[in-house]
Amino acid sequence: MSDVRVEELLIAAIAARLQGLRHVAVGASSPIPGAAALLARALSGGRLRVSILGSRTHTCFTDGGRELFDCAAQGRMDAFFLGGAQIDGHANINLTAIGGYPRSRVRFPGAFGSSYLYFLVPNVFLFTLAHTPRVLVPKVDFITSPGVSAPNVYRPGGPRALFTNRCVFAFDRELGRFALDSVHPGESAASVRENTGFAYREPDTVPVTPTPGARELALVRGPVADAVAEVYPDFAARVFSSADAA
Amino acid sequence: MSDVRVEELLIAAIAARLQGLRHVAVGASSPIPGAAALLARALSGGRLRVSILGSRTHTCFTDGGRELFDCAAQGRMDAFFLGGAQIDGHANINLTAIGGYPRSRVRFPGAFGSSYLYFLVPNVFLFTLAHTPRVLVPKVDFITSPGVSAPNVYRPGGPRALFTNRCVFAFDRELGRFALDSVHPGESAASVRENTGFAYREPDTVPVTPTPGARELALVRGPVADAVAEVYPDFAARVFSSADAA
Amino acid sequence: MFCTLDELVARIPDGASVALPPDYSGCAMAAVRGLMARRARGLHLIGVPQMGFQGDMLIGAGCVDTVETAAVTLGEFGLAPRFSAAVRGGDVRVLDATCPALHAALQAAEKGIPFMPLRGIVGSDLLAARPDWKVVDNPFGADDPLVLLPAIQPDVALFHARVADREGNVWVGVRRELMLAAHAARDTFVTVERIQDARLLDDEAMAAGTLPALYVSGIAEVPEGAWPVGLAGCYEADRAALREYAEQAATDEGFVEWMRHHVTEVAAA
Amino acid sequence: MFCTLDELVARIPDGASVALPPDYSGCAMAAVRGLMARRARGLHLIGVPQMGFQGDMLIGAGCVDTVETAAVTLGEFGLAPRFSAAVRGGDVRVLDATCPALHAALQAAEKGIPFMPLRGIVGSDLLAARPDWKVVDNPFGADDPLVLLPAIQPDVALFHARVADREGNVWVGVRRELMLAAHAARDTFVTVERIQDARLLDDEAMAAGTLPALYVSGIAEVPEGAWPVGLAGCYEADRAALREYAEQAATDEGFVEWMRHHVTEVAAA
């Protein structure tokens, strides 16, 4: 594992969840999900369609800003990624503010499309590289986008999993809560418990997140890195140029 | 008048009603209103914007078939023209069917955009070259588009006038009925009455529709005819090429 | 994605709802003749927002159960004779609409919303004949009646365009009602004049008028696929052929003759 | 139609609602600095659907009363510091929305309808903070809650584009949120890199991405008018200038200094 960065581990872990899908969209400021989508595309032999917002090469939209959302509503988008300044145990996410609303102590940019896509896209993957009790909280200060809905609410979509720098949580939509799915090398059930503010189910034996295979790694460090560099130049420079030295 | 065709008379009479407007739209199969709009544009020194549907030169729309209608709803279209297989004294028009519905003895193409534009466009001019009691009827068989609406109905638009091959009727929106405005040379109040199936107000003295002036005629037979020929070639060939001989 | 004209036609099942554009937009006339030749049945045609020759032809050939449109017209060639005859005979169900209502209902499907409100229409007899349309009081107003149109999601959008690329992107230019129909429909089948190697989305001018392959289920290369109604910017309408149709289709026998000559014999050849 | 940058800025009155696009679309940054230099007041900014540097700058300069948006963000340069400070101080009213809600509400204005229904949102705290949004039971369903968004008709849409022609048509390419904003707004003011003689609508490829002059109230030729956020296909973002802004705007004093250097002194020069 010493020569595999956690970013590469996550890229491979997320890509594994994208296999078999037809169309994955990624926001402009999500380099790891973006790289994962491009890896999944390479692994699918090009069958997976990837839309990276803000990229000129990796987006096909021609009907303005609304098309992404209309496309999701039409059922033509299988997966999307969302982050959160806070994420709680019911998969509620807060992208709005902490410490009061509307006059807030800490203000974040805002909902973007989350309050819509979270409902419409069948497989929403939550993602954060700040796995701390301050981010993974018992209850978000502001529900920008709810993790679960009442049965009468039209909701073909919702959360599937939460990827962090420490572990992968799977989300059980029936129960409305997370279960620890795997811990990354170097982490443990205990270290995850210690750094997580919300309650979740924990199996008796917690698997370790699989290390990417040679084929995945070669793709990630080769063609995927090249493609990522176009969209996320800073990220590519930071992660891939120093991967050998890590 | 012997050298002025009724088409030219109508073109000038309609054009006079378009002065001072900003944007006039005309359907693809309305050569006389189309020519009138182009004449009004010439008379306005190019300030009047004319959209002729189906023309490549005289239309600016770039957002598909819906744009014309959205544009009208936005209040960016001041005038439009509608015909009718039947028109009644309340300015109801029938573009749908005669003799039963839905199984009809005579079926016409259908409403097109009339059931919408009649409500939204401030100045709708009705037009027919078949001024007979069979077309101008007491009551249309099918109200494709109503001439007047209840006060609570959102209706910034509606009929202003009806131009026929015999006369011009003005429409009084308050009273919900037509008044004879002028008769064309060769017609009379009596000949109009005889050929009209609906009731209308008739002034004591009925003016004659003004013959186009020299400037109007020169424009109609020159640059307007050229422009009309692009959009309505058959009409231009029939009317303008033989105008001198008429 | 890429297939022959016959394969494309075969993928439009009997009973499907099929969105079709007007004559001036982009009509897959060869594919329409393919549907007639295979004796398609029970189609529900949807005008985007009205239809011309292709609608009349399909109705005449007995392919159509329902026609939902703002008009069926042969334009300067007169009333649509097979449509008129079918209405007279009660052989086709007509869902009369008005142009912006069809655009709006397709936009509702495009946006995945159950309905779209629209101004106008109130007081038209169209409304009485459309129990699927509702009139409600505007929830943001008071005593303000407003029509709500249920979304129209066609099973199929079928049209003809100038060019597609090898990825399956299709250039429609300013004819964005074609893009709307494709966004709204479950499957979109397109015939094109030609398929080019250059990627449409790489050319920023062309990209602005390109329907992405994401929405396209099948493409067949069919040169002159819009004959006889023509394709703007490519070739004019064949006015003699259109006049011939209008004249022959005026009678039942004439239409049978026209179809034998232009559809059945061509398909058998 | 055609005017100088100063004239264009002068036509945007204090108190106007102004639709502004995101950094990646087409931002009339020079015009925004013009609004700041003239000390515009009481603006109601509308994100199409979110806004970047221009939103933060206008808020910092005290031009903004209300910001209605899906986000205010400096993207990779971090949180929008003047926006955050104004929220902290209660100096700006925020109408938080989500991207598709803004698109839909602008589409409602484009269509002249009072509202647009939209899926999603139900259960979000956004809803509690937006009494102007309604939740109704879908009239075409049963026990199916649905959000209705009132139309947003901006007084002004303001953006930057590559090219206009002498008639006032403006090419926006695939950036059709600019076209939507222009359709929805009462007045649209555009700065462009250049004005060309060739008529955009005469080129069928360019026509597909052209906003017709019908919707445009004023155009000023302003080369590099999108500096420093850049204009896709023309010039990149000036990352050093953006970083300088993000750093300086982190404090009240720093922002004042930035504004003195980049706005006030430039306007006085």
Side-chain angles (χ1 to χ4, degrees):
Chain A
M1 178 65 185
S2 67
D3 64 338
V4 176
R5 300 180 65 117
V6 68
E7 289 90 345
E8 294 170 330
L9 185 85
L10 280 166
I11 288 168
I14 295 170
R17 295 295 197 106
L18 303 178
Q19 287 306 304
L21 302 182
R22 301 161 306 161
H23 182 203
V24 176
V26 188
S29 49
S30 304
I32 289 176
L38 292 169
L39 173 59
R41 178 173 168 80
L43 291 169
S44 77
R47 277 187 304 280
L48 176 69
R49 188 183 301 274
V50 175
S51 295
I52 299 181
L53 311 182
S55 156
R56 288 188 60 81
T57 314
H58 298 283
T59 184
C60 70
F61 294 123
T62 59
D63 205 22
R66 68 170 174 250
E67 187 176 3
L68 168 77
F69 305 101
D70 291 351
C71 182
Q74 292 154 23
R76 297 187 211 267
M77 191 186 300
D78 301 316
F80 194 73
F81 297 88
L82 290 174
Q86 294 178 322
I87 300 170
D88 72 22
H90 297 295
N92 297 312
I93 63 174
N94 177 6
L95 293 161
T96 305
I98 289 174
Y101 185 86
R103 193 165 169 174
S104 316
R105 188 167 44 78
V106 183
R107 171 71 208 204
F108 305 110
F112 292 98
S114 67
S115 315
Y116 184 78
L117 295 174
Y118 213 17
F119 289 76
L120 276 298
V121 178
N123 304 285
V124 176
F125 298 107
L126 301 176
F127 180 80
T128 180
L129 287 181
H131 187 149
T132 71
R134 286 182 51 172
V135 170
L136 305 188
V137 295
K139 189 174 184 319
V140 295
D141 282 38
F142 187 99
I143 300 176
T144 307
S145 306
V148 293
S149 297
N152 67 331
V153 172
Y154 179 82
R155 185 159 194 173
R160 287 285 181 211
L162 164 58
F163 294 90
T164 81
N165 51 316
R166 298 184 193 277
C167 71
V168 180
F169 291 107
F171 189 73
D172 185 319
R173 291 190 190 173
E174 294 299 312
L175 297 175
R177 56 189 297 204
F178 288 105
L180 185 57
D181 198 63
S182 69
V183 296
H184 302 341
E187 299 287 339
S188 65
S191 72
V192 167
R193 213 177 303 128
E194 197 173 310
N195 285 285
T196 305
F198 59 69
Y200 55 89
R201 290 196 307 150
E202 188 185 298
D204 294 339
T205 316
V206 181
V208 174
T209 310
T211 309
R215 182 177 170 221
E216 279 83 356
L217 264 189
L219 285 168
V220 166
R221 293 175 181 176
V224 169
D226 294 343
V228 165
E230 183 239 321
V231 192
Y232 310 103
D234 291 357
F235 173 82
R238 184 169 56 78
V239 173
F240 296 122
S241 69
S242 56
D244 297 332
Chain B
M1 178 66 186
S2 66
D3 65 338
V4 176
R5 299 181 66 120
V6 68
E7 289 90 346
E8 294 171 330
L9 185 85
L10 281 166
I11 289 168
I14 295 171
R17 296 294 198 108
L18 303 178
Q19 287 307 305
L21 301 182
R22 301 161 306 161
H23 182 202
V24 176
V26 189
S29 48
S30 304
I32 289 177
L38 292 169
L39 173 58
R41 178 174 168 78
L43 291 169
S44 78
R47 278 187 303 281
L48 176 68
R49 188 182 300 276
V50 175
S51 296
I52 298 182
L53 311 183
S55 157
R56 287 187 62 79
T57 313
H58 298 283
T59 183
C60 69
F61 295 124
T62 59
D63 205 21
R66 69 170 174 251
E67 187 176 4
L68 168 77
F69 305 101
D70 291 351
C71 182
Q74 291 155 24
R76 296 188 212 267
M77 191 185 299
D78 302 315
F80 194 74
F81 297 88
L82 289 174
Q86 293 179 322
I87 300 171
D88 72 21
H90 298 294
N92 297 311
I93 63 174
N94 177 7
L95 292 161
T96 304
I98 289 175
Y101 185 85
R103 193 165 169 175
S104 316
R105 188 167 44 77
V106 183
R107 172 71 208 204
F108 305 110
F112 292 97
S114 67
S115 316
Y116 183 78
L117 294 174
Y118 212 17
F119 289 76
L120 275 299
V121 179
N123 304 286
V124 176
F125 298 106
L126 301 176
F127 181 81
T128 180
L129 287 181
H131 188 147
T132 70
R134 285 184 52 173
V135 170
L136 304 188
V137 295
K139 189 174 185 316
V140 295
D141 281 39
F142 186 99
I143 300 175
T144 306
S145 306
V148 293
S149 296
N152 66 332
V153 172
Y154 179 84
R155 185 158 195 176
R160 285 286 181 211
L162 164 58
F163 294 90
T164 81
N165 52 315
R166 299 184 192 277
C167 71
V168 180
F169 291 107
F171 190 74
D172 185 320
R173 291 191 191 172
E174 294 299 311
L175 297 175
R177 57 189 295 204
F178 288 105
L180 186 58
D181 198 63
S182 69
V183 296
H184 301 341
E187 299 287 339
S188 66
S191 73
V192 167
R193 213 177 304 128
E194 198 173 308
N195 286 284
T196 305
F198 58 70
Y200 55 88
R201 289 196 308 150
E202 189 185 297
D204 294 338
T205 316
V206 182
V208 174
T209 311
T211 309
R215 183 178 168 222
E216 279 82 357
L217 264 189
L219 285 168
V220 166
R221 294 176 181 174
V224 169
D226 294 344
V228 165
E230 183 238 319
V231 192
Y232 311 103
D234 291 356
F235 173 82
R238 186 167 54 77
V239 173
F240 297 121
S241 68
S242 56
D244 296 330
Chain C
M1 172 75 82
F2 296 98
C3 59
T4 66
L5 176 60
D6 286 348
E7 287 164 351
L8 185 140
V9 168
R11 291 177 67 187
I12 302 172
D14 282 5
S17 62
V18 183
L20 296 173
D23 288 336
Y24 57 73
S25 182
C27 294
M29 298 305 292
V32 162
R33 288 191 295 276
L35 286 167
M36 294 165 77
R38 95 138 194 257
R39 303 194 163 278
R41 286 296 175 265
L43 298 181
H44 177 130
L45 304 187
I46 297 162
V48 184
Q50 44 98 345
M51 58 188 88
F53 283 85
Q54 59 185 337
D56 200 61
M57 289 174 181
L58 285 165
I59 292 167
C63 303
V64 180
D65 176 66
T66 300
V67 54
E68 184 168 8
T69 188
V72 183
T73 175
L74 303 194
E76 59 177 306
F77 299 97
L79 297 179
R82 292 297 93 204
F83 170 59
S84 296
V87 168
R88 213 160 38 233
D91 301 324
V92 68
R93 185 171 70 124
V94 185
L95 297 174
D96 268 295
T98 181
C99 301
L102 284 153
H103 292 303
L106 290 167
Q107 282 185 279
E110 179 182 56
K111 296 197 81 63
I113 52 179
F115 66 89
M116 186 77 89
L118 197 69
R119 288 300 188 181
I121 306 176
V122 176
S124 163
D125 284 344
L126 291 181
L127 203 51
R130 292 297 302 256
D132 53 332
W133 293 0
K134 288 183 194 291
V135 181
V136 300
D137 198 34
N138 171 13
F140 291 86
D143 188 24
D144 178 14
L146 186 69
V147 176
L148 306 185
L149 307 157
I152 296 176
Q153 184 179 32
D155 295 325
V156 169
L158 173 65
F159 60 83
H160 185 74
R162 182 135 14 140
V163 61
D165 66 20
R166 303 275 166 210
E167 289 183 355
N169 304 299
V170 178
W171 189 75
V172 301
V174 296
R175 297 264 54 107
R176 289 187 92 86
E177 62 277 358
L178 302 176
M179 197 177 288
L180 170 59
H183 289 172
R186 286 185 187 82
D187 286 293
T188 292
F189 297 107
V190 186
T191 60
V192 293
E193 290 295 312
R194 62 189 178 83
I195 295 167
Q196 72 176 30
D197 290 326
R199 195 170 173 267
L200 284 163
L201 297 175
D202 285 344
D203 175 329
E204 58 182 1
M206 295 298 279
T210 294
L211 172 71
L214 171 62
Y215 303 93
V216 181
S217 299
I219 298 179
E221 190 175 46
V222 185
E224 298 189 39
W227 178 87
V229 301
L231 184 65
C234 266
Y235 43 90
E236 296 294 308
D238 180 343
R239 296 170 59 84
L242 295 180
R243 184 166 289 114
E244 181 200 350
Y245 175 82
E247 286 169 7
Q248 287 207 253
T251 65
D252 293 357
E253 302 72 27
F255 179 78
V256 168
E257 184 59 22
W258 180 89
M259 192 161 149
R260 192 181 57 75
H261 184 63
H262 288 288
V263 177
T264 325
E265 285 182 359
V266 173
Chain D
M1 172 75 83
F2 296 98
C3 58
T4 67
L5 176 60
D6 285 349
E7 288 164 351
L8 185 140
V9 168
R11 291 176 68 187
I12 302 173
D14 282 5
S17 61
V18 183
L20 297 173
D23 288 336
Y24 56 74
S25 182
C27 294
M29 299 305 293
V32 162
R33 288 191 296 276
L35 287 167
M36 295 165 77
R38 97 140 192 255
R39 303 194 164 278
R41 287 296 176 264
L43 298 180
H44 176 130
L45 304 187
I46 297 161
V48 184
Q50 44 98 344
M51 57 188 88
F53 283 85
Q54 59 184 337
D56 201 61
M57 289 174 181
L58 286 165
I59 292 167
C63 305
V64 180
D65 177 66
T66 300
V67 54
E68 184 168 7
T69 188
V72 183
T73 175
L74 303 193
E76 60 177 307
F77 299 97
L79 296 179
R82 293 297 93 203
F83 169 60
S84 296
V87 168
R88 212 160 41 231
D91 301 325
V92 69
R93 185 171 69 123
V94 185
L95 297 174
D96 267 295
T98 181
C99 299
L102 284 154
H103 292 302
L106 290 167
Q107 283 186 279
E110 178 182 56
K111 297 197 81 61
I113 52 180
F115 66 89
M116 185 79 89
L118 197 69
R119 290 299 188 184
I121 306 176
V122 176
S124 162
D125 284 343
L126 291 182
L127 204 51
R130 293 297 303 255
D132 53 331
W133 294 359
K134 288 183 193 291
V135 181
V136 300
D137 198 36
N138 172 12
F140 292 86
D143 190 24
D144 178 13
L146 186 69
V147 176
L148 306 185
L149 306 157
I152 296 176
Q153 183 179 33
D155 295 325
V156 169
L158 173 65
F159 59 84
H160 186 74
R162 182 131 19 138
V163 61
D165 65 20
R166 302 275 167 211
E167 289 182 357
N169 304 299
V170 177
W171 189 75
V172 300
V174 297
R175 296 264 55 106
R176 288 187 92 87
E177 63 277 358
L178 302 176
M179 197 176 288
L180 170 60
H183 289 172
R186 287 186 186 81
D187 286 294
T188 292
F189 297 108
V190 187
T191 60
V192 294
E193 290 296 313
R194 62 189 177 83
I195 295 167
Q196 71 176 30
D197 290 328
R199 195 169 173 268
L200 284 163
L201 297 175
D202 285 344
D203 175 329
E204 59 182 359
M206 295 299 279
T210 294
L211 172 71
L214 172 61
Y215 303 93
V216 182
S217 300
I219 299 179
E221 190 175 48
V222 185
E224 298 191 39
W227 178 87
V229 302
L231 184 65
C234 267
Y235 42 92
E236 296 294 309
D238 179 344
R239 296 170 60 85
L242 296 179
R243 185 167 290 115
E244 181 202 349
Y245 175 82
E247 285 169 7
Q248 287 207 252
T251 65
D252 294 355
E253 302 72 28
F255 178 78
V256 169
E257 184 59 22
W258 180 89
M259 191 160 149
R260 193 181 57 75
H261 184 64
H262 288 288
V263 177
T264 324
E265 286 182 357
V266 173

